[in-house]
Amino acid sequence: GENVEQHPSTLSVQEGDSAVIKCTYSDSASNYFPWYKQELGKGPQLIIDIRSNVGEKKDQRIAVTLNKTAKHFSLHITETQPEDSAVYFCAASGSGGSYIPTFGRGTSLIVHP
Amino acid sequence: EAGVVQSPRYKIIEKKQPVAFWCNPISGHNTLYWYLQNLGQGPELLIRYENEEAVDDSQLPKDRFSAERLKGVDSTLKIQPAELGDSAVYLCASSLGVAGAVQYFGPGTRLTVT
C-alpha cells in the first residue's frame, strides 16, 4: 500500500517568514495530493490540492509543488501570519484503484507574532 | 451550506461500555467515510460508504466495531465493548464521488475510555 512520510513534525517561524512542509510518497500510481489544515478541536479542512498532471499550483499565499519523478511534494506558505498556526497534513491517493487518501503524520506549524 | 455534522463532540465512557457516534454528511454527497485519528497522527480510514453500500472496510475491527448508513444519508459508528485503546478522535467525512474527490470533514468526536 501507499506510504506517506511528512517532515518536519514541528515547524516554528516568525510572522512574515515563509514555511515549507515536505512529503514523500511510495506508490508511483498515486495521482492526487491534497493538503489539509487542522485547527485545535476541528476536523481537517482542505486548503489546496494538486493532481499529477501539473507541477505547481498557487492560491494566494500558499503553493504546492509536485515532483513525480522523485515522488515528493511540498507545501509553501509565504508571509506567514499567526492564524496560519495549525497542524498541516499531506495526503496521497489514487494508487492501484484505491482512491482513499493515505495521510502523513502531520506538521505542527507555529507562527510567532 | 451546512458542513458535515457529527455528534456528540465529546464522550467519556468506562471500558467495556458501548458507545455510538452519529454523522450527517453534506447534502447530496453519496460517499461517506469514517476515520480514526490518534493523537499526533493523521486520519486512518475505518470504513467508506458509497450510498448505502459499505466498501473499504478492511481496517474496521469487526469484532467490536460496526457501522451502518441507512437510506444512504446519515451514518452511525458503534463500538461494543469499548477498550482503553479506542480513545481517539473519530472523524466523519463526505464527498461527491470518490476518485480524486475533495473530502469534507466534520469536527470529530473525541472519545475517552477510562
Side-chain angles (χ1 to χ4, degrees):
Chain A
E2 177 66 275
N3 182 50
V4 176
E5 298 286 338
Q6 182 172 348
H7 299 280
S9 57
T10 305
L11 180 58
S12 183
V13 300
Q14 288 296 128
E15 182 177 1
D17 288 350
S18 295
V20 180
I21 302 171
K22 299 182 179 181
C23 289
T24 60
Y25 61 100
S26 61
D27 192 333
S28 57
S30 289
N31 56 17
Y32 175 61
F33 307 92
W35 285 88
Y36 290 86
K37 175 183 181 182
Q38 187 172 26
E39 297 176 319
L40 198 62
K42 298 183 179 180
Q45 301 299 311
L46 180 76
I47 56 171
I48 194 168
D49 57 10
I50 190 168
R51 300 180 192 272
S52 60
N53 56 344
V54 298
E56 184 176 3
K57 184 177 179 181
K58 287 184 179 180
D59 183 4
Q60 298 182 4
R61 295 187 296 109
I62 61 173
V64 58
T65 59
L66 171 65
N67 184 325
K68 287 184 60 181
T69 302
K71 289 188 283 189
H72 67 71
F73 55 114
S74 300
L75 177 71
H76 304 252
I77 306 174
T78 59
E79 300 174 25
T80 54
Q81 301 168 2
E83 51 264 39
D84 294 330
S85 297
V87 179
Y88 291 80
F89 292 96
C90 63
S93 70
S95 65
S98 171
Y99 304 111
I100 305 305
T102 299
F103 287 81
R105 294 176 64 99
T107 295
S108 177
L109 173 64
I110 303 167
V111 181
H112 299 281
Chain B
E1 177 183 300
V4 176
V5 179
Q6 289 188 249
S7 68
R9 292 294 316 278
Y10 306 92
K11 189 73 176 180
I12 301 174
I13 61 171
E14 294 182 348
K15 62 181 180 181
K16 301 184 182 179
Q17 294 301 305
V19 64
F21 314 124
W22 175 81
C23 173
N24 179 244
I26 291 174
S27 177
H29 282 192
N30 59 322
T31 306
L32 183 146
Y33 314 75
W34 282 103
Y35 287 90
L36 168 71
Q37 186 175 27
N38 285 306
L39 188 64
Q41 298 192 23
E44 299 173 28
L45 183 74
L46 290 172
I47 189 168
R48 170 171 69 94
Y49 280 92
E50 288 188 17
N51 300 304
E52 302 89 0
E53 183 180 1
V55 296
D56 285 324
D57 63 350
S58 60
Q59 300 304 311
L60 189 72
K62 298 181 181 63
D63 57 335
R64 297 184 300 107
F65 286 65
S66 65
E68 60 181 11
R69 190 184 185 197
L70 301 176
K71 301 182 181 179
V73 182
D74 295 2
S75 178
T76 302
L77 177 69
K78 298 178 181 178
I79 308 175
Q80 182 171 10
E83 298 179 352
L84 294 176
D86 296 331
S87 295
V89 174
Y90 291 82
L91 294 164
C92 178
S94 69
S95 68
L96 191 60
V98 181
V102 174
Q103 294 188 27
Y104 296 86
F105 284 83
T109 297
R110 180 175 295 278
L111 174 67
T112 301
V113 182
T114 62

